[in-house]
Amino acid sequence: MFAKTSITHSTSGTSSKYLDLSSVNQHVVKMEYAVRGALPIRAEKIQSQLRSDPSAFDFKKVVFCNIGNPQQLEQKPLTFLRQVSSLVEYPELLKEHNLNATKMLFAPDSIQRAVDTLSFVGGSVGAYSGSTGILKIRENVAKFIEKRDGFPSSADGIQLTNGASGAVERVLELLISDPSVGVMIPIPQYPLYTASLARFGARAVQYYLNEGSDWGMDVSDLYRIVEKARSEGTDVKALVVINPGNPTGGVLTKENMRDIVQFCEKEKIVLLADEVYQSNVYYPQEKPFISFKKVACELNSQVEMFSFHSISKGMIGECGRRGGYLEMYNIDEEVRAIMYKMASVSLCANVLGQIAIDIMVNPPKEGDASYEQYNSELDSIYNSLKSRSIRLAENFNKQENMSCNRAEGAMYLFPQIMLPPKFLEMCKQEGKSPDQEYSMRMLESTGVCVVPGSGFGQVPGTFHFRCTFLPKEEDFDGFISTFDKFHKGFMNEFRS
Ligand SMILES: Cc1ncc(COP(=O)(O)O)c(C=O)c1O
C-alpha cells in the first residue's frame, strides 16, 4: 500500500525512497546557514586528515574562526556558574552526609545558590518547568532589565527559551501569517534570520548597514525600502536590528536607535531587537550598549517590540546550554496569550539553560564568597577579547587591499577585501563565488576557517569574510603570521 508509484508528489530525482528531496518541505530545502556551510565541512575533513597525518598540510591544526562558540576555542567557563550547575545536577552532594566533602570543593555561595535554585525549580532539573520558564528566574530577569534600563519590567512579559534562536524563531513564526509577509533584515545579517524566513515561507526585505559609518543604519533608506516593498505587495511586519552587530561588530548610537524606534512606530512595524552581544562592548565610554527597550521608554514610544538575550555570548559563552530569553514590550494581551500557547507546545526551555540565565542576570554580589573570582574571570575574558580584536584588526588593516572596521562590540571582525580583477575573472570563468574561493584558499593554506561575506550578505561588488577573535592568545601569533604569508602570496599570484 505504500508503493512509490502511488505517491504522486515524489516523482523527481534518482532516489528510490518515498521521502526524497522533492517530497520534503521545500522551505527547508531552500534554507541556508553559512556559518555551518561548505567551509567548516572542509575544515572538519582537514582536521581529521591532520589527525592521521600531521604533515599533510603546512599547518598543524585547524582554527575554527567561523562561529562565535567561545568554549570550543577553550574560553574557560565561569567557575560560579559551573559549580551551581554541577550541584543542581547532582543534589546528593548537598545532602548532610556529603556536605563536608562538598564544602572542600565548592564555594559556600555556590552551595547556597544551588539549594535556593533547587527549591524554586521544584526539586529536580530533570522535570519540565512552566511553559515560559521558572517564575523566580523570570522575576530575576525582569529585575536585571529594570536595573539595566531604569524602567519597569515584569516577569509576565518574559519567556525563557532554548537560546535566543528559540526566541527569534517563535516570534517569526507568530508574525508570518502568509507568504506575502516581509521582515526587514540588515545586510550583512546573522543567517538565523534569512534561514528562518525561508523556513517559515516569508520574504526578507533587505536594508544595508553603512560600512563607512561604523555599520550604522540609514533610517531615511528604511522609509524608502518599506514604501517600495509595500507597493510591490509585501506586507512588511517587522524590522530586525542586531545590536551590537553580527557579523559587523558595530554598536549603534543612541540617535540612530531613536530614529529606528520612531520609524517602526510610524510605519506600524514590530521591532525585533537582537541584543545577545550586549555585554560584548569594547568602547563603553564612546559607544555604550543601550537597549532598545530603554530608548523606547525614554521616548514614551508606542512601538511594539520583542527583544532577545542569551547566555551564549558575553563573557559567559555557554552556547551549548541553550539558554535565552525574550521580553515583550507593548504587545497586545491576546497576542501574548498566543505566545504563551506557542511556548506550551514545546513544554519548556531546557532547565539548565534557564538556571544559567538566572546566574547571568543575578551573579554573586559584593561580599559573597565568589564575588571576586566571578568578576576577575569576567574581566580577564573581556580584556583578552578586546586586545585580540585590536590586534587582529590592526593586522587586517596593514594588508594590501584590505580594510577593517574595529570591533566596537560582539565577537567578530568583518574585513573587506578588494579582490584583484584577475582573480575575479578566474572565479567568473569557473563559476565560483569570489569570497568563498578566497576563504577556501585561506583555509587550505593556513588552517583558519572563516565565513565568506556572501553568507551574511554584502553590498554587491564588495567582498568580505567574518572572522571571530576567539582563538586563544597563544594561537594568535601563529594565526597572524600564517595569514600574512597567505594573503601576500595570494596578492602576488593575482597581480595584473
Ligand atoms: C546575532 C545573534 N543572534 C542570535 C544568536 C543565537 O544565539 P543562541 O545561541 O542564544 O541561540 C546568535 C548566535 O551566534 C547571534 O549571533
Side-chain angles (χ1 to χ4, degrees):
M1 77 174 158
F2 289 115
K4 176 153 184 155
T5 47
S6 70
I7 299 176
T8 50
H9 56 253
S10 184
T11 52
S12 74
T14 51
S15 170
S16 61
K17 308 284 186 199
Y18 307 131
L19 189 63
D20 65 12
L21 265 191
S22 69
S23 61
V24 296
N25 182 342
Q26 292 305 294
H27 292 320
V28 182
V29 175
K30 278 193 214 120
M31 190 169 85
E32 285 178 18
Y33 191 68
V35 177
R36 294 191 193 255
L39 265 107
I41 293 171
R42 176 73 188 127
E44 267 160 34
K45 285 223 171 84
I46 295 178
Q47 196 178 35
S48 76
Q49 261 174 285
L50 280 172
R51 259 186 228 122
S52 48
D53 175 8
S55 61
F57 291 87
D58 289 343
F59 46 87
K60 295 275 166 282
K61 69 176 187 181
V62 175
V63 185
F64 287 90
C65 292
N66 57 309
I67 183 161
N69 193 5
Q71 293 187 18
Q72 183 194 40
L73 294 167
E74 297 177 46
Q75 179 175 300
K76 267 179 71 190
L78 299 176
T79 307
F80 181 73
L81 189 147
R82 287 306 182 93
Q83 287 201 349
V84 176
S85 303
S86 313
L87 292 168
V88 295
E89 273 275 311
Y90 193 55
E92 274 301 303
L93 297 175
L94 300 168
K95 296 257 169 76
E96 198 56 45
H97 57 279
N98 284 325
L99 213 48
N100 280 341
T102 302
K103 282 181 180 162
M104 313 262 286
L105 274 174
F106 293 85
D109 54 340
S110 302
I111 296 175
Q112 189 54 48
R113 175 65 79 93
V115 171
D116 296 346
T117 302
L118 282 170
S119 72
F120 59 68
V121 160
S124 170
V125 296
Y128 293 131
S129 72
S131 310
T132 54
I134 294 155
L135 176 63
K136 179 75 184 161
I137 300 182
R138 288 187 291 117
E139 284 169 356
N140 285 339
V141 171
K143 279 190 205 148
F144 160 82
I145 294 173
E146 282 185 3
K147 190 163 168 220
R148 183 193 68 190
D149 296 339
F151 289 96
S153 172
S154 143
D156 295 345
I158 286 157
Q159 297 197 341
L160 304 181
T161 53
N162 287 324
S165 307
V168 169
E169 284 160 6
R170 184 173 300 159
V171 173
L172 289 176
E173 192 177 5
L174 173 88
L175 294 171
I176 298 166
S177 47
D178 70 68
S180 71
V181 169
V183 174
M184 301 181 80
I185 54 160
I187 296 296
Q189 54 100 34
Y190 172 57
L192 166 69
Y193 292 97
T194 34
S196 306
L197 292 176
R199 179 163 143 211
F200 297 128
R203 300 178 189 171
V205 179
Q206 304 184 342
Y207 68 88
Y208 286 101
L209 299 176
N210 187 347
E211 188 167 4
S213 70
D214 292 325
W215 301 107
M217 281 170 67
D218 184 345
V219 179
S220 58
D221 237 21
L222 297 183
Y223 285 100
R224 193 183 48 71
I225 292 166
V226 79
E227 193 186 329
K228 180 162 179 284
R230 283 176 172 160
S231 73
E232 290 166 355
T234 299
D235 175 12
V236 182
K237 273 205 177 146
L239 169 82
V240 174
V241 181
I242 306 172
N243 183 47
N246 175 8
T248 61
V251 174
L252 293 175
T253 62
K254 195 167 189 182
E255 295 68 50
N256 217 186
M257 295 174 75
R258 276 201 197 111
D259 292 345
I260 294 163
V261 168
Q262 281 160 346
F263 161 79
C264 288
E265 190 175 354
K266 209 157 163 190
E267 296 293 335
K268 301 199 179 332
I269 285 175
V270 179
L271 179 55
L272 308 185
D274 183 330
E275 298 176 335
V276 300
Y277 295 100
Q278 60 188 265
S279 46
N280 297 94
V281 170
Y282 305 113
Y283 302 91
Q285 305 301 331
E286 273 167 76
K287 281 283 191 92
F289 167 75
I290 305 163
S291 75
F292 269 104
K293 161 94 181 282
K294 182 176 168 116
V295 172
C297 289
E298 282 178 355
L299 290 171
N300 201 12
S301 168
Q302 292 310 302
V303 70
E304 293 166 38
M305 173 164 63
F306 294 88
S307 48
F308 310 105
H309 194 13
S310 166
I311 52 164
S312 299
K313 311 298 168 183
M315 307 326 126
I316 295 194
E318 293 278 353
C319 305
R321 259 167 223 274
R322 312 306 299 126
Y325 74 76
L326 64 85
E327 186 186 25
M328 298 180 263
Y329 172 84
N330 197 27
I331 299 295
D332 176 76
E333 274 308 319
E334 288 181 337
V335 174
R336 283 159 77 128
I338 300 294
M339 283 290 287
Y340 185 88
K341 182 171 73 178
M342 292 173 85
S344 317
V345 175
S346 49
L347 297 163
C348 70
N350 129 38
V351 170
L352 283 167
Q354 297 188 39
I355 292 171
I357 286 275
D358 192 50
I359 292 167
M360 175 176 82
V361 298
N362 184 22
K365 295 188 178 48
E366 205 164 355
D368 292 348
S370 300
Y371 178 78
E372 302 276 326
Q373 185 179 11
Y374 190 85
N375 286 301
S376 91
E377 288 174 352
L378 284 189
D379 288 350
S380 98
I381 296 169
Y382 174 87
N383 292 331
S384 165
L385 280 175
K386 180 171 175 178
S387 83
R388 280 178 274 167
S389 81
I390 294 171
R391 260 184 90 191
L392 194 57
E394 271 170 3
N395 188 59
F396 287 149
N397 276 321
K398 65 176 207 238
Q399 305 297 333
E400 185 181 356
N401 280 20
M402 222 176 195
S403 71
C404 183
N405 286 346
R406 68 177 182 178
E408 294 173 337
M411 297 175 168
Y412 316 96
L413 292 173
F414 197 59
Q416 181 172 163
I417 347 156
M418 279 61 83
L419 290 169
K422 201 165 147 191
F423 176 74
L424 293 177
E425 188 50 38
M426 183 205 80
C427 291
K428 194 168 161 198
Q429 274 171 18
E430 294 178 8
K432 288 179 173 158
S433 145
D435 53 357
Q436 164 106 8
E437 180 60 17
Y438 175 89
S439 305
M440 193 60 94
R441 285 168 180 244
M442 186 198 308
L443 170 64
E444 299 280 352
S445 53
T446 65
V448 174
C449 180
V450 298
V451 188
S454 43
F456 307 95
Q458 52 200 342
V459 172
T462 67
F463 301 99
H464 300 76
F465 61 86
R466 187 190 79 171
C467 183
T468 68
F469 37 84
L470 289 168
K472 284 186 297 176
E473 289 200 57
E474 307 87 278
D475 286 341
F476 248 61
D477 290 333
F479 170 30
I480 284 176
S481 72
T482 48
F483 177 78
D484 271 10
K485 197 163 149 225
F486 156 73
H487 188 74
K488 283 196 181 86
F490 172 86
M491 291 304 296
N492 286 337
E493 186 181 343
F494 291 100
R495 207 176 293 287
S496 326

